[in-house]
Amino acid sequence: MLNSICRLSHTLIEPRACMNDSEWKTNDSNSVALEKFKRDSAYIDKNGKLRNFNHKKVSRKKSGSLRGRGWKYGSGFVDGIFPVLSPAAQEILDFVEKGVESERIWSSLDMFPATLDLWDDIFTVAVQLRMKKKWDSIISICRWILLRSSYKPDVICYNLLIDAFGQKLQYKEAESTYLQLLETRCIPTEDTYALLIKAYCLSGLLEKAEAVFAETRSYGLPSSAVVYNAYMNGLMKGGNSNKVEEIFQRMKRDACKPTTETYTMLINLYGKAGKAFMALKMFHEMMNQKCKPNICTYTALVNAFAREGLCEKAEEVFEQMQEAGLEPDVYTYNALMESYSRAGYPYGAAEIFSLMQHMGCEPDRASYNILVDAYGRAGLQDDAEAVFEDMKRVGITPTMKSHMVLLSAYSKMGSVNKCEEILNQMCKSGLKLDTYVLNSMLNLYGRLGQFGKMEEVLTVMEKGSYAADISTYNILINRYGQAGFIERMEEFFQLLPSKGLKPDVVTWTSRIGAYSKKKLYLRCLVIFEEMIDAGCYPDGGTAKVLLAACSNEDQKEQVTTVIRTMHKDMKTELPV
């Protein structure tokens, strides 16, 4: 296996498909596993009780609906309603999607007669391109309108450009487009400001975003949910989620009524932060405000519970969505599957997968990945591989993530040979291995005490095009420390500054843990002080290894006092 990695060092780690209705088709070798999830809607819940799904309650219609992602700002199109492409528009779209340079696109557009039909076709194409996130193509078409065509550009054209530049984090170009809009005496709309604010947020320029927000007032525009929503969306995607709630509160103070999109974003925000209870609270506020949730809202709430493995709550929301007259789509089914996977009930996830197919909603790659992961988490690696093979059989090409969830399943069981086989399969499939994959193999070898192979993987990473990150060194420090190779552990720790890496709480805790295992209490305290001096603060794992180093009650009391004092002063969430 390692020879294969070395040879490739210059480039260098989802469930059974149904064919007809809900009948599983697989080979005879998997017949035992097949019978397991043929059981009619039965599974064991977390309390050990046998439960059944009520199919009529879970989904009432044999159909699936896909969420639309149309152009939301200024074009007149709404999500889920897409214009039909004319033959000319389809021809333009096909040509643009070939990835040719702008000059060739412009020359081709020059050949069309300047008619109103062409104008409509161009913006229809722009909507399609935006759905596919083809920002460069949108920029090329809109710049042709501005620079080469005989059309007088309107605000929609400028809005498309601002949006495309913002998505590419080219805020200066977005800003320049806005100024050009003003110079041509084109009147900006609330959508223009929304997109410009979002562009600044995506680039992390919050002061500029706030300045544009203030400018909307100077133009006499009232508080608009469109602008507020774009502001919050930009903050979330720009990595400034902590400011979203502040903007939401300002929105309510300005007597601007939150929309379905507003609440859906906040439910998503709390769900991703592991605060399902806050997501539910936001959902209740939404209902109290007579704001009607849509399928995205319900899916966001199901996802919030899924991330915490609260499968019963996720199922309740799923049923509530059905009662509201909304038909679940593939994203909703996937979210419900994820909830059972994380709760440790793989056959519950398999039941949802089967139900999804029975209801006519086609599973996607994510569906298969979730089911592979569900079996892998439960230690059912043979079932996980059967699902992986079925995914390929139905024509879905496994991605890096698909291979990773299968690799994780076998890694969990310590199956080195199988993991090496999967790694070689990834290389043969043309997938470029990354640091995360190699870290997984590094951790597997270290966990099994195969330090020679672990060092070989590290050599491949150092000689290849793989940047060893802090996780790489955390694995090395932890594995050598736990095995009692203190000197080797310290060598890797001392290497971090030369690699441009800063120790994090996992690094320090792993280092302390090595000495804690040997009951070297004073040495643990010295390293703990170094950790604090370096500006890294403890978590629950740090407290655990420090307490494990104690040999008497006095030492335990001393550690507990120090940690609790820090918890109070630093406002950490350390449980002691």
Side-chain angles (χ1 to χ4, degrees):
M1 186 283 305
L2 287 168
N3 289 334
S4 298
I5 300 179
C6 293
R7 287 197 300 272
L8 294 168
S9 62
H10 62 288
T11 59
L12 247 223
I13 140 181
E14 323 190 17
R16 236 171 288 256
C18 283
M19 298 300 294
N20 297 308
D21 295 328
S22 60
E23 295 180 1
W24 299 103
K25 287 191 176 182
T26 185
N27 53 44
D28 294 339
S29 64
N30 295 319
S31 59
V32 176
L34 179 62
E35 290 299 320
K36 292 180 182 177
F37 54 87
K38 272 189 173 180
R39 298 168 186 171
D40 186 23
S41 307
Y43 71 97
I44 305 298
D45 69 10
K46 64 182 181 181
N47 297 316
K49 295 181 179 179
L50 185 67
R51 297 188 63 210
N52 290 330
F53 277 100
N54 182 335
H55 282 207
K56 293 181 180 179
K57 192 173 183 182
V58 174
S59 184
R60 294 193 292 267
K61 292 185 290 185
K62 289 189 176 183
S63 65
S65 57
L66 292 177
R67 271 174 284 184
R69 294 184 180 84
W71 168 244
K72 293 190 289 186
Y73 299 102
S75 71
F77 298 119
V78 295
D79 283 358
I81 303 176
F82 308 125
V84 177
L85 291 173
S86 69
Q90 187 64 58
E91 183 181 344
I92 295 171
L93 180 63
D94 292 342
F95 182 73
V96 169
E97 286 190 318
K98 291 179 181 178
V100 298
E101 62 274 9
S102 293
E103 185 57 42
R104 285 188 61 192
I105 293 175
W106 290 8
S107 298
S108 298
L109 291 174
D110 287 341
M111 297 173 63
F112 286 89
T115 63
L116 289 177
D117 287 341
L118 177 61
W119 179 258
D120 289 340
D121 286 339
I122 286 175
F123 280 104
T124 302
V125 168
V127 172
Q128 297 289 333
L129 291 172
R130 185 182 182 277
M131 290 165 56
K132 299 177 181 181
K133 299 183 179 179
K134 303 285 187 179
W135 310 118
D136 288 325
S137 299
I138 292 175
I139 291 170
S140 182
I141 288 177
C142 289
R143 291 188 67 196
W144 173 80
I145 295 174
L146 294 176
L147 302 175
R148 291 269 286 261
S149 77
S150 59
Y151 295 112
K152 181 178 179 180
D154 61 11
V155 69
I156 299 176
C157 181
Y158 288 110
N159 286 354
L160 280 165
L161 263 179
I162 292 171
D163 183 41
F165 283 130
Q167 295 288 349
K168 288 174 61 64
L169 305 183
Q170 297 176 0
Y171 72 91
K172 289 185 178 179
E173 285 79 1
E175 191 176 70
S176 176
T177 303
Y178 170 69
L179 294 175
Q180 188 177 353
L181 177 153
L182 296 178
E183 289 171 2
T184 57
R185 300 184 182 279
C186 190
I187 300 174
T189 63
E190 62 179 13
D191 303 314
T192 311
Y193 290 109
L195 292 167
L196 190 56
I197 288 170
K198 185 176 178 180
Y200 283 134
C201 288
L202 289 173
S203 297
L205 302 171
L206 303 189
E207 291 183 2
K208 283 181 173 287
E210 189 63 33
V212 174
F213 187 83
E215 188 176 338
T216 61
R217 306 298 179 86
S218 66
Y219 274 86
L221 292 174
S223 298
S224 164
V226 171
V227 176
Y228 273 110
N229 288 345
Y231 200 167
M232 289 186 280
N233 185 257
L235 289 169
M236 288 175 64
K237 291 184 176 178
N240 293 286
S241 299
N242 56 325
K243 192 176 172 61
V244 172
E245 193 169 357
E246 175 189 326
I247 301 301
F248 177 62
Q249 295 303 327
R250 188 197 301 183
M251 180 182 191
K252 292 197 287 188
R253 286 196 302 270
D254 285 350
C256 180
K257 187 176 180 180
T259 63
T260 300
E261 184 183 356
T262 314
Y263 284 112
T264 302
M265 277 194 294
L266 286 160
I267 291 169
N268 257 320
L269 175 70
Y270 289 124
K272 290 178 179 178
K275 298 178 179 178
F277 69 98
M278 285 296 295
L280 184 60
K281 180 181 177 182
M282 196 56 58
F283 182 79
H284 288 157
E285 178 182 323
M286 178 182 189
M287 299 298 283
N288 291 336
Q289 295 297 318
K290 308 299 181 185
C291 184
K292 188 176 181 180
N294 59 21
I295 190 170
C296 299
T297 314
Y298 283 106
T299 302
L301 190 55
V302 172
N303 263 319
F305 289 121
R307 288 187 178 94
E308 298 183 36
L310 302 172
C311 50
E312 292 179 359
K313 294 295 292 183
E315 186 184 340
E316 286 176 16
V317 176
F318 188 84
E319 293 172 357
Q320 188 177 347
M321 180 185 72
Q322 296 287 302
E323 291 165 1
L326 295 172
E327 180 66 18
D329 62 10
V330 66
Y331 303 99
T332 318
Y333 281 115
N334 286 349
L336 191 57
M337 284 177 60
E338 185 73 26
S339 71
Y340 283 98
S341 172
R342 297 207 178 200
Y345 304 124
Y347 298 120
E351 169 65 21
I352 299 301
F353 184 85
S354 177
L355 176 66
M356 171 168 43
Q357 293 179 310
H358 180 70
M359 293 300 123
C361 184
E362 199 64 32
D364 60 9
R365 183 181 286 107
S367 311
Y368 283 96
N369 287 346
I370 291 168
L371 193 51
V372 172
D373 190 42
Y375 283 129
R377 286 172 183 264
L380 303 171
Q381 66 271 22
D382 292 339
D383 286 338
E385 186 167 11
V387 172
F388 182 85
E389 292 301 322
D390 280 335
M391 173 170 57
K392 293 192 292 185
R393 184 169 52 80
V394 299
I396 298 178
T397 304
T399 60
M400 176 67 77
K401 183 172 182 179
S402 308
H403 285 88
M404 276 305 304
V405 290
L406 184 61
L407 183 69
S408 177
Y410 282 103
S411 176
K412 184 181 179 73
M413 303 303 295
S415 303
V416 174
N417 292 337
K418 194 64 183 180
C419 288
E420 291 175 350
E421 181 184 320
I422 294 169
L423 202 66
N424 288 329
Q425 181 183 336
M426 292 167 71
C427 295
K428 290 177 182 177
S429 300
L431 294 172
K432 185 176 179 181
L433 306 186
D434 58 15
T435 302
Y436 182 80
V437 178
L438 294 179
N439 281 351
S440 298
M441 292 304 296
L442 200 70
N443 192 43
L444 174 61
Y445 289 135
R447 179 159 56 88
L448 299 177
Q450 299 181 13
F451 297 109
K453 285 191 173 183
M454 189 168 71
E455 292 279 358
E456 287 182 41
V457 174
L458 180 63
T459 301
V460 169
M461 294 180 73
E462 291 175 341
K463 291 184 178 180
S465 57
Y466 313 102
D469 55 17
I470 191 62
S471 296
T472 308
Y473 285 93
N474 285 348
I475 292 168
L476 293 165
I477 289 168
N478 182 58
R479 292 307 176 191
Y480 275 117
Q482 290 299 306
F485 297 109
I486 301 296
E487 290 184 5
R488 188 61 174 149
M489 178 196 74
E490 291 290 358
E491 285 177 19
F492 283 116
F493 183 81
Q494 299 303 326
L495 271 177
L496 294 179
S498 64
K499 300 292 183 180
L501 299 172
K502 184 178 180 180
D504 59 15
V505 66
V506 176
T507 320
W508 288 104
T509 301
S510 297
R511 189 179 173 211
I512 294 171
Y515 291 103
S516 172
K517 197 171 182 180
K518 295 179 178 294
K519 292 294 183 180
L520 298 175
Y521 175 71
L522 294 179
R523 181 60 178 157
C524 289
L525 284 188
V526 169
I527 297 173
F528 181 73
E529 290 177 3
E530 291 177 10
M531 173 182 176
I532 302 306
D533 291 340
C536 184
Y537 301 109
D539 62 7
T542 316
K544 184 178 179 180
V545 296
L546 278 174
L547 289 170
C550 299
S551 302
N552 55 57
E553 292 301 319
D554 289 341
Q555 290 177 348
K556 289 182 180 179
E557 185 177 350
Q558 183 182 4
V559 169
T560 303
T561 301
V562 171
I563 297 293
R564 281 179 175 164
T565 301
M566 290 195 63
H567 173 53
K568 180 179 179 181
D569 294 341
M570 308 284 181
K571 297 182 180 179
T572 66
E573 295 181 0
L574 175 66
V576 178

